[in-house]
Amino acid sequence: MLSQNHVSRSPIAASAVEFVAKISITAETDVAANRRLPLNIGLVIDRSGSMENAPIEYAKAAAIQVIEKLHEHDYCTVVIFDTEIDVLADGETMNEVNKRRLIHRIQHVYARGGTDLHAGWHTCVNRQLRINNRELVGRVFLLSDGHANTGLTDVTQLGAQAAAFHRQGISTSTFGIGDGYNEVIMGALASNGEGNTHYISEVQHIEECFRQELAALFTAALRDTQLHITVPTGYSVQIVGERPHTLRDREMTIHFGTIMRAEQRNIYLHIKADTPPAAGSVTMPVRATGLDAQ
């Protein structure tokens, strides 16, 4: 279930024909209290030559820590990359047998070659999408120094793809490893992919980073959350800031993805009358939809 909180309004023009509206949606605290949504986790491990020695060991340790915390109803895809791509797990359920086999494979990864970051990340998410459905919470963890030197490296295009993947149900969190990791690429993927950016400089940082990530995912209460707004005739509505959305037949649909238990998400709308309206009031219907864990 969703609770809605609207509308907080303050005029931004001399007349009352232009204003900003704030709309808030919250997953109520009793949603998913007894059961969490199963996870569709992707792990993308950079094994390029720049990851040699400590960085590759940090990445492997982080991946293993995630796998150990998953349950048998969770799914995991693991991709390792340099200029070549290898799939170590393809949407496998995380029972104890599969966990042990996968951890063994990860322990034997070593650094080599160049860095086709896009191909590794893209391959993993596409495989996650094969099994993704409305019951799963999807997220990919990219562990890399971000020094992409092969394949697609354009930050704008990478960000656009991350946003598109999020709309399909897979968010992206990035884990920069080593002192010289590329903050621009890693940050663009996480911000556009509605995930988080972390920095791992020492092995002790791994546990805290993934504790935060998994704690949030374990409390996921609502998936595929959308806000539907009917734009009144004679008015135009724009979202303040960037937020994935569509507009069709005067219905604006804003995509929030997964919302955690008790989390509040806010959206600000710039609403403007196309022509000065007659005296009176105007109604802008708002409804929220989402899949809960019950």
Side-chain angles (χ1 to χ4, degrees), residues 185-205:
I185 287 180
M186 302 288 273
L189 288 170
S191 61
N192 286 278
E194 295 293 326
N196 305 298
T197 302
H198 302 272
Y199 169 49
I200 298 174
S201 63
E202 298 181 13
V203 70
Q204 59 263 34
H205 296 160

Side-chain angles (χ1 to χ4, degrees), residues 46-61 109-112 177-178:
D46 183 350
R47 63 170 175 193
S48 63
S50 61
M51 292 282 290
E52 193 172 13
N53 298 320
I56 190 66
E57 296 305 319
Y58 292 172
K60 288 158 59 176
V109 172
Y110 61 91
R112 68 180 204 190
I177 298 176

Side-chain angles (χ1 to χ4, degrees), residues 247-261:
L247 180 61
R248 180 178 298 175
D249 297 329
R250 303 202 68 79
E251 179 171 285
M252 176 179 284
T253 301
I254 304 171
H255 303 273
F256 285 92
T258 299
I259 295 183
M260 309 308 166
R261 193 182 312 145

Side-chain angles (χ1 to χ4, degrees), residues 2 35 45 105 128 161 235 253 265:
L2 290 173
R35 172 180 175 263
I45 303 173
R105 291 172 181 170
Q128 288 178 265
Q161 288 190 12
Y235 287 79
T253 301
R265 296 283 192 94

Side-chain angles (χ1 to χ4, degrees), residues 66-84:
V66 172
I67 291 165
E68 288 177 335
K69 287 181 168 58
L70 298 180
H71 298 169
E72 61 181 2
H73 57 270
D74 297 320
Y75 295 82
C76 187
T77 300
V78 179
V79 171
I80 57 176
F81 72 92
D82 47 90
T83 51
E84 297 180 0

Side-chain angles (χ1 to χ4, degrees), residues 49-162:
S50 61
M51 292 282 290
E52 193 172 13
N53 298 320
I56 190 66
E57 296 305 319
Y58 292 172
K60 288 158 59 176
I64 290 169
Q65 185 174 118
V66 172
I67 291 165
E68 288 177 335
K69 287 181 168 58
L70 298 180
H71 298 169
E72 61 181 2
H73 57 270
D74 297 320
Y75 295 82
C76 187
T77 300
V78 179
V79 171
I80 57 176
F81 72 92
D82 47 90
T83 51
E84 297 180 0
I85 309 301
D86 287 310
V87 179
L88 302 188
D90 194 356
E92 295 182 5
T93 53
M94 286 293 96
N95 56 52
E96 288 304 314
V97 172
N98 287 342
K99 279 187 179 182
R100 294 306 114 198
R101 182 170 59 244
L102 183 53
I103 288 172
H104 177 76
R105 291 172 181 170
I106 291 172
Q107 287 171 335
H108 288 81
V109 172
Y110 61 91
R112 68 180 204 190
T115 311
D116 194 341
L117 182 149
H118 171 259
W121 167 71
H122 197 270
T123 296
C124 188
V125 177
N126 274 320
R127 288 176 180 269
Q128 288 178 265
L129 288 172
R130 293 179 186 177
I131 62 170
N132 207 47
N133 59 55
R134 288 173 59 84
E135 293 291 339
L136 301 177
V137 177
R139 180 160 297 184
V140 59
F141 298 144
L142 172 61
L143 301 126
S144 173
D145 59 13
H147 293 304
N149 53 30
T150 303
L152 179 63
T153 59
D154 182 82
V155 173
T156 301
Q157 294 182 55
L158 289 169
Q161 288 190 12

